[in-house]
Amino acid sequence: MDPQEKFLLNYYQNYTDFNPGEIGDIIEHYEYVEIAKNQFLQKNGQLSKFTFLVMEGLLMNYTYDYNGNQVVLNFVPEKYWAGGGKFYNLEGVSIQSLEPTKLFRIKSAVLEELYQKNEKFAFIEVNLVRNAFKALKLRMLDSVSKPAIYNYEQLLTKHPGIAQRVPQKYIASYLGVTPQFFSKMRAEYLRRKP
């Protein structure tokens, strides 16, 4: 079994116990792709036909505000999903790699068919959507009710090492602050960190 198949097998086995035939039916629909740093999987104004699962590397979802400023929505590290599907495919969102990335893509329509055909697979989708919705609600609540330093600490807790992988201007955008404010805030955070 090659490393790509092993990754998919382990990923899905973490959620539920598939028999070899079921997992084979799912894995056969994925295409392994390697992309370079700064490559787009989806550009603002387009809809992707694919849903992406990151094996290694890092993606970023972003859009633009009414002034044309880039607004980072989230970062997509290993074992996270981006784009596609009826819940995720938004026309105004760009998906771009922040580092060389190895990922799997599957046609969103095929993914929907798999959800319809396989109860276990549908169970995974329900849990992924539920968890994504919960995370989005918490992020929205925290962004309006907590200081940026708290949200930065939450980002570092959720994604250890992200600060070394993502340019500061993108983290600032994600937090909703200017790069200058983020630089001062980060310096203060590093000074008081044990």
Side-chain angles (χ1 to χ4, degrees):
M1 180 180 299
D2 64 36
Q4 293 82 20
E5 285 180 354
K6 187 173 182 179
F7 173 86
L8 284 173
L9 178 67
N10 289 337
Y11 178 84
Y12 283 115
Q13 293 292 15
N14 280 332
Y15 285 98
T16 190
D17 193 27
F18 287 101
N19 67 48
E22 289 173 320
I23 201 74
D25 288 344
I26 293 167
I27 290 175
E28 75 182 23
H29 296 288
Y30 282 91
E31 178 185 1
Y32 175 74
V33 180
E34 293 186 12
I35 60 172
K37 181 178 181 177
N38 296 322
Q39 187 172 335
F40 284 92
L41 296 171
Q42 176 177 309
K43 287 189 177 181
N44 191 331
Q46 300 174 340
L47 287 176
S48 174
K49 293 186 238 178
F50 297 97
T51 300
F52 308 96
L53 174 60
V54 177
M55 177 179 169
E56 186 179 303
L58 184 64
L59 305 176
M60 173 178 69
N61 289 318
Y62 66 91
T63 191
Y64 293 94
D65 68 13
Y66 57 90
N67 289 322
N69 298 311
Q70 186 180 55
V71 178
V72 175
L73 303 172
N74 67 324
F75 302 106
V76 186
E78 294 81 3
K79 297 184 182 176
Y80 278 72
W81 294 87
K86 60 186 172 190
F87 299 110
Y88 309 113
N89 205 356
L90 303 172
E91 191 174 325
V93 175
S94 294
I95 305 170
Q96 184 179 7
S97 60
L98 292 177
E99 55 191 38
T101 301
K102 298 175 182 179
L103 54 84
F104 294 92
R105 71 180 190 182
I106 184 170
K107 288 186 178 176
S108 298
V110 171
L111 197 57
E112 295 297 327
E113 288 173 20
L114 288 170
Y115 296 144
Q116 298 299 319
K117 286 177 21 179
N118 188 307
E119 192 175 293
K120 291 178 187 176
F121 201 63
F123 172 78
I124 292 171
E125 169 66 1
V126 167
N127 282 316
L128 289 172
V129 170
R130 182 182 299 136
N131 291 339
F133 184 68
K134 180 180 176 185
L136 177 63
K137 283 177 64 176
L138 286 172
R139 183 169 175 320
M140 286 175 52
L141 181 62
D142 288 347
S143 72
V144 297
S145 65
K146 303 277 196 292
I149 189 72
Y150 173 85
N151 294 322
Y152 181 58
E153 290 168 345
Q154 290 300 109
L155 176 65
L156 297 179
T157 299
K158 183 177 179 182
H159 302 294
I162 197 90
Q164 290 75 40
R165 299 172 71 185
V166 176
Q168 288 188 21
K169 67 180 182 176
Y170 295 142
I171 295 175
S173 174
Y174 174 82
L175 296 172
V177 299
T178 65
Q180 296 80 6
F181 179 84
F182 176 72
S183 182
K184 290 176 188 174
M185 182 191 77
R186 184 173 179 266
E188 178 62 29
Y189 168 79
L190 292 173
R191 266 195 299 279
R192 64 183 176 95
K193 184 180 167 189

